[in-house]
Amino acid sequence: MRKTDRLATIRDVAALAGVSVGTASKALNGRGTLRAETRERVREAADRLGFEANAAARTLKAGRTYTVGMITTDSIGRFSIPLMLGAEDALGAGQMSVLLCDARDDPIREQYYLRTLLTRRVDGIIVTGRRAQARAPLAPDLPVPVVYAFISSTDPGDCSVIPDEAGGAAKAVEHLQAIGRRRIAHVTGPEHHESAIGRAAAVADSLVRPPLYGEWSEAWGRQAAALLLADGTDFDAVFAGSDQIARGVVDTLRGAGRRVPEDVAVIGFDNWDVMVSASQPPLSSVDMDLDGLGRSAANLLLAAINGEPAPGRHVRPCRLVLRGSTSI
Amino acid sequence: MRKTDRLATIRDVAALAGVSVGTASKALNGRGTLRAETRERVREAADRLGFEANAAARTLKAGRTYTVGMITTDSIGRFSIPLMLGAEDALGAGQMSVLLCDARDDPIREQYYLRTLLTRRVDGIIVTGRRAQARAPLAPDLPVPVVYAFISSTDPGDCSVIPDEAGGAAKAVEHLQAIGRRRIAHVTGPEHHESAIGRAAAVADSLVRPPLYGEWSEAWGRQAAALLLADGTDFDAVFAGSDQIARGVVDTLRGAGRRVPEDVAVIGFDNWDVMVSASQPPLSSVDMDLDGLGRSAANLLLAAINGEPAPGRHVRPCRLVLRGSTSI
DNA sequence: TTGAAAGCGCTAACAG
DNA sequence: CTGTTAGCGCTTTCAA
C-alpha cells in the first residue's frame, strides 16, 4: 500500500499517465483497444499512486454492490460461526464481501439491520440463527434474494438450507445397533425445542425407554445418567442430543463404574471439537456440517442473485464421526 | 418493506410527491426550510415506495462510507467473537456497519481483504486475532485508521487495545493468597506462547515450583495434575493458564481424592462459560473482558476517524470472577 | 487508438 | 419556500 493520505482517484492516475480518465479506466479494466504501451503507463501510474477504484462509484454505475448481508437472528454463537465462515468462504471466492449484522434476538434490531442492508443495496441476504428452527420471514416481498441457513423460513416459498437432523439421529442409532447395542436410551434437550423433538421422533422406535428431556448442558447429562442408573433401566447405549449432554453422561457412567464403550456406548450430537476431544474416551458424534451448510447457502444465494432462485427447503445430510465412545 | 422490485430512487419519490429531487432530499433529511405540508407529502411518497436512500450515492458525495472493516488474522474463534460483537455493538450505535473478513492465518488472504476494504473506502479497520500477541502491522502508511484489538501491532505507533494478562494473573494469585494458600502451582500453555510466558512471569515469585508448560487442553491439565501428584509437590492451589487446563486439573485432582477447593483451590483463565460452569465445582477464572476490549477498540477507531487518534498500546484490566473452585 | 461527455443517485449551494 | 444545477468517481457509448 502506498503512503497517500487521500486515496487517489482515477483522475489522478489519468493525469499522471497523461491520458484521459476514459482511457485510464479502459486500461485498468482491460477494456477497449489501447496501445500496450499506454496500458502499461496507466498501470504504472496507478501502482505509483496506490490507486484502488472507488467501489461506491462503481456500484452507482453498475447497480451492484458485490456485497451480501449476513443477519444472525439470535446472537452469533457456536453454530452461526462455522456457518458464517462457510458462507464467507464461498462468497469470497466470488469476490463478494459480507456485511455482518448481529440482531441478538431483537426484532427491532433485526428490522434496523434490514433497512441498513437495503440502504446499502446488498445483492442478497443470508439469515442464520442459533438453532435449527423455522422462523417468520425477515419481511415480505424483499427486493433482494434471501437465503435462510440452519434456521428456515416458515414461508415454504423462501429458500432455506437446513441439516437433516432426523437423518443424523437415525444414523447414530443405526450405528449403535450395528455394533450390537439393542437397549438404547436417549438423553436430549428441552421438550419444546424443535431439534430435540425432531431427533427424538426419528429414533423413538429404537429406544429402550422414552427420551429424557432436559437442558443442553453437561449438568443435565450427568443428572440424566444418574437417573438411568437409579431407576434400573437396563441400557447398553446412550444417544445424547448434544456433545455436552453426552459428556455429562459419560462422566457419570464412568464414575459409577460403567465402562464406555464396553458396557455403554455413547454418541453425541454437534461434533463440537472441544467437547468430543476432551471427553474420555473421545466422543463419537453427529456432525451437521455447518460449514457446508453455509457454503451451500452462499451458493444458493449467488445463484438467486444471478437470476436462478431455488426456493424451498434444502435438506443437507449429517454425517457420523466415530471415535472411542462407540468403538472398542 | 414494500413490494417494489427495483428499489425506488429519490426521483421516483419526488415525482410521486410532485416536487423536485432537491426538495425531496431536503424533506427526507430534515434540511433546508420547507412547508410542513410538503415535507409530509414527500415522506408519504417515500413510505409508499419503500424508499431507502442509496448508500453508494451518499458515499460518493460525502466521502464517507460509515463502514469499517474487521479483519481477523487467524480464523474467527472463541476469542475473536466476543471481541467482534463488542466492536459491532459500539459501531452499530454510531450507525456504522461492519465488513467481515476472515483471513485464516493466510497473509495472501489478508492482503486481498485489505485491498477489498480499501476499494470499499471503509472509514477504518479493526484487526483482531486468536491470541494476544504482537504482529507486524497490516501494511505501512494506510490511508485509514487501524486499531488492533487483542493482538497488538509491533509498531508502537499503531493503536492497539490489549488485556492486561499479567495483571489478571497477578489478581488470580493474590486471591489464592488471600484465601490462605501459599503453595501455588502454575499449569499453563506452550512455553513459546506469549500469553503463557507473560502470565507465568507475572506470578513466578509466588509459585511453589516452576510453571508446567504444555498445551491449552484439558488433556494437558489432567496430565499436569497427575504429574504434580506423582512428584510429591506439596501444593494447595493451582493457577491454570486456561479454563480447559483448569478443568483437566480439577478432574484429575478429584479423581485422586483431593477436594476442590478444600485441599486445592483452582483458578482458570478466560472465564469461558461452557468450561467454568460445567466444571465441578464451577471454576473461578480470570476474565479478559473481550467484549469490552472490542468496544474500546471500536471507540478508539471512531475517535481516530473523527481526527482524534490515540496511538500506542492501550492496556485494559482483567477481572477475577469467583466461583466454587476457590470458595468453600 | 484516444478523448469527450453522459449518467448512475444523491446532496448542497445558489437562484428564483 | 422550492427548483435548478453541479459534482462526488467511475464506466461506457460515441466521436474524432
Side-chain angles (χ1 to χ4, degrees):
Chain A
M1 298 308 115
R2 290 322 175 286
K3 57 271 148 188
T4 30
D5 196 41
R6 176 184 64 88
L7 240 28
T9 75
I10 199 168
R11 293 168 55 153
D12 301 328
V13 175
L16 181 56
V19 299
S20 73
V21 289
T23 302
S25 171
K26 285 170 212 155
L28 293 171
N29 296 299
R31 301 274 157 77
T33 48
L34 298 184
R35 234 180 333 152
E37 190 270 332
T38 309
R39 215 175 274 280
E40 192 45 39
R41 196 149 35 89
V42 173
R43 288 234 169 88
E44 257 167 34
D47 256 23
R48 258 236 301 275
L49 297 173
F51 171 77
E52 300 284 350
N54 184 320
R58 279 199 163 145
T59 285
L60 209 49
K61 189 113 240 299
R64 277 199 60 177
T65 52
Y66 292 91
T67 305
V68 314
M70 192 138 50
I71 300 186
T72 59
T73 60
D74 22 37
S75 200
I76 295 177
R78 186 158 53 85
F79 296 111
S80 3
I81 290 149
L83 262 169
M84 285 175 22
L85 294 186
E88 206 245 5
D89 194 41
L91 292 168
Q95 310 270 70
M96 311 275 290
S97 295
V98 174
L99 274 171
L100 181 64
C101 310
D102 184 3
R104 302 174 196 198
D105 247 332
D106 177 354
I108 310 272
R109 271 183 112 92
E110 187 174 296
Q111 290 304 308
Y112 162 77
Y113 275 126
L114 179 55
R115 292 196 43 178
T116 305
L117 293 178
L118 257 23
T119 290
R120 289 174 185 268
R121 297 294 190 274
V122 294
D123 297 335
I125 299 177
I126 292 180
V127 181
T128 182
R130 175 168 10 114
R131 29 159 90 184
Q133 185 170 309
R135 52 151 288 159
L138 211 50
D141 305 307
L142 253 9
V144 293
V146 178
V147 173
Y148 298 79
F150 196 49
I151 56 165
S152 59
S153 166
T154 47
D155 181 342
D158 286 338
C159 176
S160 310
V161 192
I162 52 176
D164 181 11
E165 297 184 82
K171 278 184 186 172
V173 165
E174 278 155 23
H175 177 69
L176 291 172
Q177 290 170 333
I179 60 172
R181 309 304 163 111
R182 292 290 175 272
R183 301 182 304 286
I184 304 172
H186 183 41
V187 181
T188 189
E191 190 156 10
H192 56 76
H193 197 295
E194 278 191 23
S195 289
I197 304 168
R199 297 174 195 171
V203 301
D205 289 346
S206 315
L207 300 181
V208 69
R209 52 151 294 154
L212 287 162
Y213 295 99
E215 290 170 9
W216 298 113
S217 71
E218 286 193 52
W220 164 238
R222 292 194 289 256
Q223 218 177 315
L227 235 145
L228 286 173
L229 292 171
D231 76 356
T233 303
D234 180 21
F235 64 106
D236 57 10
V238 175
F239 169 43
S242 79
D243 291 331
Q244 289 180 77
I245 292 176
R247 197 172 166 193
V249 167
V250 169
D251 282 352
T252 295
L253 291 179
R254 294 180 81 227
R258 304 287 179 107
R259 294 169 305 164
V260 176
E262 293 82 349
D263 302 329
V264 182
V266 177
I267 294 190
F269 208 106
D270 295 341
N271 197 32
W272 185 13
D273 50 0
V274 184
M275 284 298 147
V276 295
S277 64
S279 170
Q280 295 182 292
L283 278 175
S284 294
S285 187
V286 178
D287 191 317
M288 294 188 281
D289 189 19
L290 296 171
D291 192 85
L293 230 50
R295 226 186 304 278
S296 276
N299 288 325
L300 285 166
L301 186 64
L302 289 176
I305 290 170
N306 293 324
E308 297 171 7
R313 293 160 71 89
H314 301 257
V315 180
R316 308 225 343 155
C318 295
R319 74 178 203 285
L320 191 58
V321 180
L322 299 179
R323 298 196 183 80
S325 68
T326 56
S327 56
I328 304 177
Chain B
M1 301 308 116
R2 289 324 175 283
K3 58 270 152 192
T4 29
D5 197 41
R6 175 185 66 87
L7 241 28
T9 74
I10 200 167
R11 293 168 56 154
D12 302 327
V13 175
L16 180 56
V19 298
S20 72
V21 288
T23 302
S25 172
K26 284 170 215 155
L28 294 171
N29 296 298
R31 302 274 157 75
T33 48
L34 298 184
R35 231 178 338 150
E37 190 271 330
T38 310
R39 216 177 273 280
E40 191 45 40
R41 195 148 37 89
V42 173
R43 289 234 169 88
E44 256 167 33
D47 256 23
R48 259 238 299 278
L49 296 173
F51 170 78
E52 300 283 350
N54 184 319
R58 280 200 164 145
T59 286
L60 208 50
K61 187 113 242 295
R64 276 199 60 178
T65 52
Y66 292 91
T67 304
V68 314
M70 191 138 51
I71 300 186
T72 60
T73 59
D74 24 35
S75 201
I76 296 177
R78 186 157 55 84
F79 296 112
S80 3
I81 290 149
L83 261 168
M84 283 175 23
L85 294 186
E88 208 245 4
D89 194 42
L91 291 168
Q95 311 271 68
M96 311 275 290
S97 294
V98 174
L99 274 170
L100 181 63
C101 309
D102 184 3
R104 301 175 197 199
D105 248 332
D106 177 353
I108 310 271
R109 271 184 113 90
E110 187 173 297
Q111 289 304 308
Y112 162 78
Y113 275 126
L114 179 55
R115 292 197 43 180
T116 303
L117 293 178
L118 257 23
T119 290
R120 289 175 185 268
R121 299 295 191 272
V122 293
D123 297 333
I125 298 177
I126 292 179
V127 181
T128 183
R130 175 166 11 112
R131 31 160 88 186
Q133 186 170 311
R135 54 152 286 158
L138 211 51
D141 305 308
L142 253 10
V144 291
V146 178
V147 173
Y148 297 79
F150 195 50
I151 56 165
S152 59
S153 166
T154 47
D155 181 342
D158 286 339
C159 177
S160 309
V161 192
I162 52 175
D164 180 11
E165 297 184 82
K171 278 184 186 172
V173 166
E174 278 157 22
H175 177 69
L176 291 173
Q177 290 170 332
I179 59 171
R181 308 306 162 110
R182 292 290 174 273
R183 302 182 303 285
I184 304 171
H186 182 41
V187 181
T188 189
E191 189 156 11
H192 56 76
H193 197 294
E194 279 191 22
S195 289
I197 304 167
R199 298 175 195 171
V203 301
D205 290 346
S206 315
L207 300 181
V208 69
R209 52 152 293 152
L212 287 162
Y213 294 98
E215 289 171 9
W216 297 113
S217 70
E218 285 193 52
W220 163 238
R222 292 193 289 255
Q223 217 178 314
L227 236 144
L228 287 172
L229 293 170
D231 78 356
T233 303
D234 180 22
F235 64 106
D236 56 10
V238 175
F239 168 44
S242 80
D243 290 330
Q244 291 181 76
I245 292 176
R247 197 171 166 193
V249 167
V250 169
D251 282 352
T252 295
L253 290 179
R254 294 181 82 226
R258 304 286 180 109
R259 293 170 304 165
V260 175
E262 293 83 349
D263 302 329
V264 183
V266 177
I267 294 190
F269 208 106
D270 294 343
N271 196 33
W272 185 12
D273 50 0
V274 184
M275 284 297 147
V276 295
S277 63
S279 169
Q280 295 182 289
L283 278 175
S284 295
S285 188
V286 177
D287 190 316
M288 293 188 281
D289 189 18
L290 296 170
D291 191 86
L293 230 50
R295 225 187 304 278
S296 275
N299 287 325
L300 284 166
L301 186 63
L302 289 176
I305 290 171
N306 292 323
E308 296 171 8
R313 295 159 70 89
H314 301 256
V315 180
R316 308 225 343 154
C318 296
R319 74 176 202 288
L320 191 58
V321 179
L322 299 179
R323 298 196 183 79
S325 68
T326 56
S327 57
I328 305 176

